[in-house]
Amino acid sequence: MAEHQHGYIHRKDDYLKRLKRIEGQARGLQRMVEEEKYCIDILTQVSAMTKALQAVSIGLLEEHMGHCVVDAARAGEEQGREKVAEATEAIARLIRS
C-alpha cells in the first residue's frame, strides 16, 4: 500500500508562499506598533492578515475534504465518519477563532 500523502501536497509551494507573505505582514504589524502608527491603520493591516490566514485555512480545509475525507470514505464507512468528525472539529475551531 502506498504511503498516504496529504491533500495539499501538490500545492505545497503555493501555501508556503502565502504563509511567508503572512509572516511578512506580521513583521510589518510589529513595526507599525513599534513606530506608534495610527491605530486604525494597524487594525486595517490586522484585517488583511486575518483574511490571508482565512484563505489559507479554507484552502487547506478544501484539500482535506477532497482528498483525506474522500480517501477515508472509500476505505470504509467508519474511517469516513472519523475523517468527517475530524473535519467538523477543525471547522468549529475556525469558526470560534
Side-chain angles (χ1 to χ4, degrees):
M1 184 173 179
E3 184 178 327
H4 174 78
Q5 286 191 334
H6 300 293
Y8 66 86
I9 206 74
H10 66 283
R11 293 184 53 209
K12 179 180 173 181
D13 289 340
D14 293 337
Y15 285 111
L16 287 172
K17 219 180 291 183
R18 283 179 169 192
L19 290 168
K20 287 176 184 180
R21 198 167 32 241
I22 292 166
E23 181 181 22
Q25 286 177 297
R27 283 193 302 274
L29 281 167
Q30 291 171 355
R31 198 167 33 257
M32 289 177 80
V33 172
E34 287 170 355
E35 296 171 0
E36 300 177 7
K37 297 294 183 184
Y38 185 53
C39 53
I40 297 301
D41 293 339
I42 295 170
L43 290 170
T44 299
Q45 292 307 309
V46 168
S47 176
M49 188 174 161
T50 300
K51 287 179 184 177
L53 282 168
Q54 288 171 340
V56 169
S57 297
I58 293 298
L60 288 170
L61 184 59
E62 183 179 7
E63 300 283 355
H64 180 70
M65 298 291 287
H67 183 80
C68 300
V69 173
V70 168
D71 285 354
R74 285 182 183 140
E77 185 176 346
E78 182 61 30
Q79 294 95 320
R81 287 184 188 278
E82 287 174 10
K83 286 294 179 187
V84 168
E86 180 182 67
T88 301
E89 290 171 12
I91 292 166
R93 285 191 302 272
L94 288 171
I95 290 170
R96 286 191 298 265
S97 64

